[in-house]
Amino acid sequence: HGAAPYKGIDAITIAAAFVNEVQKVVSREMPVDDGAVVTVGSIHGGEARNIICPSVVMEGTIRTRSPERRRLLCQRVCEVAEGVAAMHRGQAECVIYNGEPPVINDAEMVIRFRQLVHETIGCDAFTDRKKQADGSDDFGFYAACVPSIYFWFGSRAPGNDSHVHTSTFGASDELIIPTAELTVRYILGLLSS
């Protein structure tokens, strides 16, 4: 009963402590340049306002830019879950499903692509500025198996200020066609070498 919390183990209290503690793993154990993220996106627990909650289910996502850091972060998330639960006289079961691997460009392919862009469009058309995308992409499965390159092209034009993954996003033919032609040229260059 909610009036006697000392008679039970409060899973909501454990869940709250976990959410707080797991963020410290990222801020204190992961290099800033890795862009590691732990997000708890869903918490479900409790039946009534006056009952001590016996169990909570949480779901979230773990993002890193390297497979090694991903393994370490997954291990640490489980250790924190189990440790926080034990500290509060509870138990935790940590289940992690592997999602998309990080997208890692092949360095040689980037050099060749940069050269092609410089030769066909101009030096100002290519930037080495790394896009710090914190999302995930299925393309990571390809990049994990074969040398690959994943690049962004500018799609914003006057009258089209929408971001990707929105219902109003669109890119004009003036942007898509030259990008497709450049990509085909690059692929043909790879096949002929």
Side-chain angles (χ1 to χ4, degrees):
H1 194 279
Y6 58 89
K7 292 184 177 179
I9 297 171
D10 190 343
I12 289 179
T13 302
I14 295 171
F18 168 78
V19 171
N20 185 47
E21 291 301 318
V22 79
Q23 298 306 313
K24 295 174 188 172
V25 173
V26 171
S27 68
R28 295 297 177 255
E29 298 181 30
M30 295 289 133
V32 175
D33 65 342
D34 187 69
V37 175
V38 174
T39 298
V40 177
S42 167
I43 300 177
H44 299 279
E47 299 294 325
R49 61 185 171 85
N50 64 341
I51 298 172
I52 299 299
C53 175
S55 67
V56 169
V57 174
M58 293 185 282
E59 294 179 312
T61 186
I62 295 172
R63 307 287 172 100
T64 65
R65 291 198 179 107
S66 75
E68 298 78 25
R69 294 239 170 74
R70 180 179 291 203
R71 281 190 289 277
L72 175 61
L73 190 52
C74 289
Q75 175 187 335
R76 290 295 293 130
V77 166
C78 288
E79 290 171 357
V80 169
E82 292 163 0
V84 167
M87 184 173 72
H88 292 275
R89 298 179 297 118
Q91 296 176 346
E93 179 184 353
C94 187
V95 178
I96 296 180
Y97 301 101
N98 285 331
E100 299 83 0
V103 175
I104 300 172
N105 281 339
D106 179 79
E108 183 60 35
M109 292 182 84
V110 171
I111 291 168
R112 292 174 74 172
F113 187 69
R114 179 188 306 118
Q115 182 178 353
L116 177 65
V117 170
H118 287 179
E119 290 170 0
T120 57
I121 303 173
C123 293
D124 293 342
F126 186 94
T127 177
D128 280 331
R129 182 177 47 115
K130 291 187 178 185
K131 173 88 171 97
Q132 299 298 323
D134 295 323
S136 62
D137 197 289
D138 293 347
F139 191 81
F141 289 112
Y142 297 114
C145 296
V146 296
S148 305
I149 182 171
Y150 188 94
F151 65 92
W152 296 84
F153 70 94
S155 61
R156 192 161 293 171
N160 177 26
D161 293 329
S162 296
H163 295 281
V164 296
H165 304 297
T166 64
S167 62
T168 57
F169 174 77
S172 70
D173 288 349
E174 289 82 29
L175 298 169
I176 296 291
I177 291 171
T179 303
E181 289 171 346
L182 182 69
T183 304
V184 168
R185 229 172 132 180
Y186 179 72
I187 292 168
L188 292 174
L190 288 175
L191 294 175
S192 66
S193 54

